Amino acid sequence: MKLCDLAELIAGSILVGEDQPDLVIDRAFAADLLSDVLALTEEQTTLITGMVNPQVMRVAEILNVIAVIFVRGKVPPASLVEYANRLNIPLVTTKKTMFETCGLMYAHGVRACRSRSTCQMSDSG
Amino acid sequence: MKYAIRAGDIEHGGSASARIKSELSRAGVDATTARRAGIVAFEGEMNLIVYSDDGGTLSVIVEPDAVMIELEDTGPGIEDIDLAMTPGFSTAPVWATDLGFGAGMGLVNMQKHSDIFEIHSKLGVGTRIQCRIERKGDWAMNRREG
């Protein structure tokens, strides 16, 4: 799915990335716990979150996140938007909940990014 | 590269690690290794911010075949390392969990992304963690094969 279509689907606004409407969003991971994002994602992914603190973009930068979608009407501060602009990582905001956002995206073909379950982690630990 | 990390400085939390990751990429370290090193550094940096008494240092050394990440603080020290290494175990304060951290995955995650992970800690003295991340390209592939 293209970034511009995704924004329309979830009734979202593109804060960063208007210049990348054709960017393909096909994998996603949703969490508010950034620890889980760091621990479990194993490939480049779109991040769906309700957290708007500066750490979100730092995690996104470290993990080479494709795009960040802020749910539940959370609006990131200007400094975060500026950071995303500098990294060229698209940001989308939506008033929909995380559940609705994930459901809509899944129904339109976006799939879970390759990840490790916490069980696997403790089993092999 | 060596960074001084201040205890409680959540505002800048992760900024040293983000810088480390981009510096490693610029230095020609492959993307997968840079990502792993970034994760290890980030978790370590957040640990220093959330748990240390007086902050600590985060150091990175790039070797021809590996990236070394070292974290050191001067307390409080970890009473039971095995317990601290248990996935989900956490003593994080509420302000840290409110920000999406302190889920009890930090040390586990550092170990998982390191090829060699060593932790030494003494109550009242401090903690030292050394991580070696081999520069071997697609680590996920390597893990699956080996």
Side-chain angles (χ1 to χ4, degrees), chain A residues 20-43:
Chain A
Q20 307 176 59
D22 295 333
L23 180 75
V24 174
I25 307 290
D26 58 356
R27 288 280 179 271
F29 187 87
D32 280 349
L33 270 177
L34 293 175
S35 300
D36 279 353
V37 181
L38 283 162
L40 304 178
T41 60
E42 283 208 38
E43 66 179 347

Side-chain angles (χ1 to χ4, degrees), chain B residues 93-108:
Chain B
V94 173
W95 63 264
T97 51
D98 281 352
L99 288 165
F101 297 102
M105 298 303 286
L107 290 173
V108 185

